[in-house]
């Protein structure tokens, strides 16, 4: 299977299918989510690609492109390295004077939240087949949050969903967690 297929499957079955992000279904239906696969093994090239994605978002109307998923299957396999690079992506957004315009959400096959154990079910909310940086337009997020009841409760509800999954569900939804060598 291709990188794109795996990411689309995760997006449709996990993120949208489990309603982890209640704001993703509409832009997905409307074709406003760009999934950009960068197969580079160079962090410098990846950072340049992320910069180019910011420019693409700047230059493309929201009705055509609401958000970008930057998928990097060949680098940042180590979660600690990924987190360090994530800090650099945040710094890039600030350096480009895009703080408050864009934010980045993070996904990784080995994702775990501070204060949790790697095997805790709640970490599944941010587990993806590959390291992914999700560039989000803050204006779009503010618009949907204004009409969504109890957005502060989303993380807690998502944790409850993850804890309620059976082992069979986890294997079906997150096959990439079990296919590692």
């Amino acid at each position: 299977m291709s990188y794109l297929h795996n990411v689309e499957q995760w997006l449709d079955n996990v993120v949208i299918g489990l309603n982890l992000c209640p704001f993703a279904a509409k832009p997905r239906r409307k074709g406003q989510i760009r999934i950009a696969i960068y197969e580079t093994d160079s962090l410098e090239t990846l950072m340049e690609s992320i910069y180019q994605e910011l420019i693409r978002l700047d230059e493309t109307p929201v009705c055509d492109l609401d958000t970008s998923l930057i998928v990097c299957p060949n680098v940042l396999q180590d979660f600690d390295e990924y987190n360090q690079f994530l800090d650099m992506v945040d710094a890039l957004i600030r350096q480009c004077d895009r703080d408050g315009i864009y934010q980045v959400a993070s996904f990784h096959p080995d994702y775990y939240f501070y204060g949790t154990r790697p095997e805790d079910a709640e970490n599944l909310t941010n587990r993806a087949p590959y390291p992914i940086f999700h560039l989000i337009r803050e204006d779009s997020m503010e618009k949907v949050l204004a009409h969504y009841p109890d957005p502060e409760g989303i993380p807690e509800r998502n944790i409850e969903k993850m804890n309620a999954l059976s082992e069979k569900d986890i294997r079906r939804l997150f096959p990439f967690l079990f296919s590692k060598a």
Side-chain angles (χ1 to χ4, degrees), residues 40-57:
T40 183
D41 59 1
S42 161
L43 294 180
E44 184 177 301
T45 301
L46 178 60
M47 187 61 76
E48 176 62 27
S49 299
I50 291 170
Y51 173 72
Q52 293 301 322
E53 286 297 322
L54 288 169
I55 291 172
R56 181 185 310 272
L57 284 165

Side-chain angles (χ1 to χ4, degrees), residues 54 58 92-103:
L54 288 169
D58 280 345
L92 173 68
I93 290 171
R94 287 190 302 277
Q95 288 172 341
C96 294
D97 293 324
R98 298 298 183 268
D99 199 27
I101 298 171
Y102 303 111
Q103 61 179 270

Side-chain angles (χ1 to χ4, degrees), residues 36 38 40 46 70-77 82 130-133:
Y38 291 102
T40 183
L46 178 60
I70 299 162
V71 181
C72 42
N74 298 326
V75 292
L76 301 169
Q77 298 305 310
Y82 171 86
Y130 313 104
I132 296 175
F133 300 95

Side-chain angles (χ1 to χ4, degrees), residues 26-28 30-34 62-67:
K26 185 175 180 182
R28 177 77 169 141
K30 294 173 86 176
Q32 297 169 310
I33 297 175
R34 175 173 156 77
V62 70
C63 62
D64 295 328
L65 176 62
D66 191 35
T67 191

